[in-house]
Each structure stands twice: as C-alpha cells, then as structure tokens.
Amino acid sequence: MTDLSVEVCGLRLRNPTMLASGVLDETGKSMLAVAKAGAGAIVTKSIGRDPRVGHPNPTVVELDHGLLNAMGLPNPGIELYAEEINEAKKSGIPIIGSVFGGTEEEIADLAMLMERSGADAVELNLSCPHAKGYGAELGSTPERVESICRLTRGKTKVPILAKLTPNTSSIADLARAAERGGAHCIVAINTLKGMAIDPESRQPILGNKFGGLSGPAIKPVGVRCVYEIYEAVQIPIIGVGGIASGKDAIEYMMAGASAVQIGTAVWTEGTGIFGKVCKEMSKFMKENGYATPRELVGVAHPARR
Ligand code: DHB
C-alpha cells in the first residue's frame, strides 16, 4: 500500500485522515476505537471550562444528504476531560484537544489547560453556528479571530489549529486574521447554520430551533472555502465537510488541504470509513502517478499546475 504519511504543522500523521470534533470523541475508549480503525489523528469533542448538559432534545435531524445538529456543546468540563485525553493518548496517534469559550481569555486559558492535559495540539472552535455566546459569535470578525489566536499563542507551546466558520462573507479574511494572530493551521469548515420544520406540527424540529448542517450536502462549500483560504495564507489547511470517500478527500487536498477530517461519515457509516478512505486514496494515487499525499496539495490552483 502507498505510504500515506503526512506532516501538518509539526504533527506527524500515518495518513491524512483525522476524526473531526463531535463524533465518537467524548471518551478515551471511543477515541481508542477510532485510532484502532486507522485514523491518522483525533480531534476531541469541544471542551469548555465547566460541565454543560447541552441543548434540549431533539438534537439531531437526519436529512437526505446530511445531518442537522444542535447538541449545544455538551461536555464534562476541562478538569474531568483530562482523564479521557490520557486514555486516548495510549493510541500513539496525535490527540488534538478542541476547546470553546465565552471570551477571548477563556479560550486561551482552556487551550493552555488542554495542553497541560496532554493534548498534542489545540483546535479552537471559533465556529459552532448555534450556541449562544460561543463559537461563531466570537469567530465571525477578523479582529477577534486574530486576538484569540494571539492570546492563545502567548499561553501555549503546542500547534494551534483555528477552526473557522463558513457562515461569513469572507472566510479568507478570517484565515488571514488567524495567521496574523499566530495560528499554525486553519481547519475549514465547521457546519453551516440551518433549520428544519415539521409541517404537521408546524414547529422547528430541533430543540434549539437552529443547528449546524454537515455531511455530503456541504462538501462543495468546504472545497470552495479551502480553495479560497489556500490563496490567502501560507500556513497549512485541514479540510472538513462531507468527506466519505477517497475522491472526496483528494478533492479537498487538490483545493489546498494538507489533511482532512471526517465526522458525519463516521456517524453514518461507522469507524470503517477511515480504512475505506485511505484505501481509495492509495488506489487513486497509484493509478494517477502520485507518490505521496503532499503531491496532491493545491494542484487545482493554476499556479501549481
Ligand atoms: C455543535 C458544535 C459545533 O461546532 C457544530 O458545528 C455543531 C454542533 C454542538 O455541540 O452543538
């Protein structure tokens, strides 16, 4: 099988697939299962300072081409979560701790605590589309993105991944701001803000009314965002949104991603998705004369052809 190993912002991955935040990453045990299934790295559930129960049910709506969810950032709080990181680290693959917070300082402090808990890198959730006071509410202006990244950089040593929202007029501006603030890598995209209404009851289905759309429906949006970001910044990009096959992953890499994250397809197809995507990537690379995944990165841009 082709050597799929890549290096992204100092993290060495045995292949370019990572578990995206939010699926099967609440416990050390579930993360170990994902590592065993072949993922190159794992991003944890987004963790905050205090325990949170999340939004009222229903929290997920299954659609024809994706999922709409508003979990509401449920998590046990950073102090308790350290145990899960410890367990997940037994896998030997990079564990990236995702954090969210209500203020710029809180996010930077949580990143510091995440590093202390043993995370190999931190992912800043600047992009959850529906939790009041968190996520995209802080991550929608370049000024705040820059200052959150700068504060975090001052309090951590591990690589900082800034996960950005597509619910904005210019994700490239947000990416430039993250780079100026000292982020080591951009993760694009988080979910698109959406809603679903049940015609019989005339009511919004989600307990929170609004949620984040993920899965195959958002792949073209994600690929476009990665393409725009690649032309705007020098730091590496991790692509996420609707990846369920080797060709999906390759599309993101040709747009400019150095690695990819998979979330919804783990929910719909199980952990076997990592092995499947890697096998399909290898096959495509062999058939098309690519020796390493690096050779795929950005080739859809005129300057790289
Ligand atoms: C949640 C967080 C996200 O960042 C997202 O895109 C979707 C859902 C949540 O926990 O509600």
Side-chain angles (χ1 to χ4, degrees), residues 55-61 68-71 129-130 193-198 202-212:
H55 291 320
N57 282 325
T59 51
V60 184
V61 186
L68 188 63
N69 91 87
M71 307 305 291
H130 57 260
K193 188 171 183 176
M195 81 181 292
I197 294 172
D198 170 43
R202 309 183 202 176
Q203 303 223 358
I205 299 177
L206 289 170
N208 184 58
K209 287 194 193 133
F210 306 128

Side-chain angles (χ1 to χ4, degrees), residues 171-239:
I171 196 166
D173 284 348
L174 297 179
R176 277 190 209 96
E179 184 178 49
R180 276 196 305 277
H184 300 86
C185 178
I186 302 293
V187 181
I189 54 178
N190 205 318
T191 52
L192 274 77
K193 188 171 183 176
M195 81 181 292
I197 294 172
D198 170 43
E200 265 77 43
S201 66
R202 309 183 202 176
Q203 303 223 358
I205 299 177
L206 289 170
N208 184 58
K209 287 194 193 133
F210 306 128
L213 179 65
S214 63
I218 73 166
K219 195 186 74 177
V221 179
V223 171
R224 182 268 299 171
C225 287
V226 168
Y227 191 93
E228 286 184 350
I229 295 168
Y230 186 78
E231 306 220 322
V233 301
Q234 301 299 315
I235 53 177
I237 307 162
I238 295 171

